Amino acid sequence: MQMLCRIVKYKYLHRRSPLNNLNIYNSVTIFKQRSTMDIDWATGDVNLYSSRTSYDVGQRLLEPTHRDPMEMLKSWLNEAEHCPDIPEHNAMALATSTTDGIPSVRYVLLKAVDDRGLLFFTNYMSRKGRELTENSFAAVAFYWHPLHKQIRVEGCVEKLSGSESDEYFATRPRQSQLAALASGVQSSRIANREVLDSRMRDLELKYPEGCRIPRPDIWGGYRIIPSKMEFWFGHTNRLHDRFVFMKRDKCLPQYELPQSDILNEGANGWVYYRLTP
């Protein structure tokens, strides 16, 4: 028996900075999509053995399209943005970890790419915020199924300045600003939905239309400074193309550059090599 879920893209708004940096501050999406899976209703088991996609793209990624992976990231993001079958091109899975190696992962929205890294915003007291305080290393992954493309980024994470966080917070819709205040310490336990609704009603009275809403001190931005990036391009029979870029001067202790005969010089301090699927 199949369970069916439908999802269709409705609206997409964006603003791009005139600078070389990528700005996705005003990116808003409402979407629906379709997928199927087999469920044994007697046992509740889900069987995905026969669920697979053939990546019949008819082309190969013989070499990276850019020698600087940050430029390649921007190029692939731009391609994903203009693909009508991708509802939220700036969604990325963010993985963090405690100092003793307990991981957690969730989706966040990429909000900008500058000359130093990838920017996202969240509550500093959320689980991810607390884990980044303990362990400043993180990883993100983008996956755009209609393009058969994936990007993985690993590196150190730093907090943005208060002014940078203020600049982004000011661009958020009023209700989103109020929600950041109403949430308080993100992921804290509450009795029911009414707790949030009551906070929102109080905040709407405190900050009427046209009134400036202050950014909460426990809310702001982070920058992921990449030291390793992987670009994946899906192919038929799972013979995918994979290229890894590493920054020579930012290699983490656990990273080891391969032998020189498969190492290629990139741009701006990056080197790259190919991986098997």
Side-chain angles (χ1 to χ4, degrees):
M1 186 176 292
Q2 291 186 327
M3 182 173 74
L4 189 63
C5 172
R6 283 194 185 139
I7 308 186
V8 180
K9 178 176 178 183
Y10 283 125
K11 182 173 67 172
Y12 179 83
L13 306 175
H14 77 279
R15 182 186 72 185
R16 186 180 298 284
S17 166
L19 304 177
N20 194 33
N21 297 338
L22 214 60
N23 181 323
I24 319 174
Y25 282 5
N26 286 354
S27 179
V28 178
T29 307
I30 303 172
F31 57 90
K32 295 184 178 179
Q33 191 174 24
R34 182 187 181 111
S35 64
T36 61
M37 62 183 178
D38 294 327
I39 299 178
D40 185 332
W41 293 106
T43 64
D45 294 342
V46 176
N47 185 330
L48 299 172
Y49 284 6
S50 61
S51 178
R52 58 178 54 88
T53 300
S54 178
Y55 302 105
D56 297 321
V57 294
Q59 57 183 319
R60 299 183 185 278
L61 188 63
L62 299 179
E63 284 293 324
T65 55
H66 296 75
R67 295 175 64 241
D68 184 331
M70 294 298 287
E71 294 305 313
M72 193 165 170
L73 168 68
K74 294 174 188 177
S75 175
W76 283 23
L77 274 168
N78 182 62
E79 184 181 2
E81 176 189 354
H82 291 92
C83 177
D85 297 321
I86 297 176
E88 206 159 30
H89 74 288
N90 57 323
M92 59 184 186
L94 168 68
T96 56
S97 173
T98 60
T99 52
D100 52 358
I102 300 174
S104 63
V105 65
R106 78 289 293 159
Y107 275 93
V108 297
L109 295 179
L110 172 72
K111 283 301 177 180
V113 179
D114 63 16
D115 58 353
R116 297 189 59 204
L118 289 69
L119 279 61
F120 68 94
F121 296 82
T122 189
N123 190 299
Y124 294 142
M125 300 305 293
S126 63
R127 178 173 177 178
K128 55 187 171 296
R130 297 194 306 270
E131 289 179 356
L132 287 171
T133 298
E134 288 184 40
N135 175 7
S136 62
F137 296 105
V140 297
F142 299 88
Y143 179 57
W144 304 295
H145 177 73
L147 302 178
H148 311 316
K149 289 182 175 181
Q150 177 180 207
I151 300 176
R152 295 170 55 202
V153 181
E154 300 173 30
C156 188
V157 181
E158 65 178 15
K159 268 188 181 181
L160 299 183
S161 67
S163 60
E164 288 174 299
S165 293
D166 287 340
E167 178 186 357
Y168 169 67
F169 190 79
T171 70
R172 301 189 91 203
R174 178 173 178 271
Q175 291 298 308
S176 297
Q177 292 178 334
L178 292 173
L181 288 166
S183 180
V185 175
Q186 192 180 80
S187 302
S188 56
R189 298 170 183 173
I190 56 176
N192 49 50
R193 174 73 193 196
E194 177 57 26
V195 173
L196 291 177
D197 293 340
S198 176
R199 291 177 185 175
M200 281 293 283
R201 288 193 293 270
D202 291 343
L203 287 165
E204 286 173 338
L205 292 174
K206 183 176 181 179
Y207 300 104
E209 287 283 355
C211 182
R212 177 184 172 274
I213 301 171
R215 175 180 63 87
D217 292 337
I218 59 173
W219 192 99
Y222 290 95
R223 177 184 288 109
I224 304 171
I225 304 172
S227 54
K228 185 176 183 179
M229 301 176 69
E230 179 187 326
F231 295 82
W232 178 98
F233 187 38
H235 274 292
T236 307
N237 300 325
R238 298 300 188 262
L239 289 176
H240 311 308
D241 286 319
R242 296 173 63 192
F243 287 97
V244 171
F245 285 80
M246 296 176 71
K247 195 82 166 179
R248 279 194 186 276
D249 60 346
K250 289 183 180 176
C251 284
L252 304 179
Q254 61 268 41
Y255 295 161
E256 182 178 344
L257 289 173
Q259 62 269 29
S260 59
D261 61 331
I262 65 169
L263 199 61
N264 303 280
E265 287 296 329
N268 301 318
W270 291 93
V271 295
Y272 68 91
Y273 52 92
R274 180 185 276 270
L275 294 179
T276 61

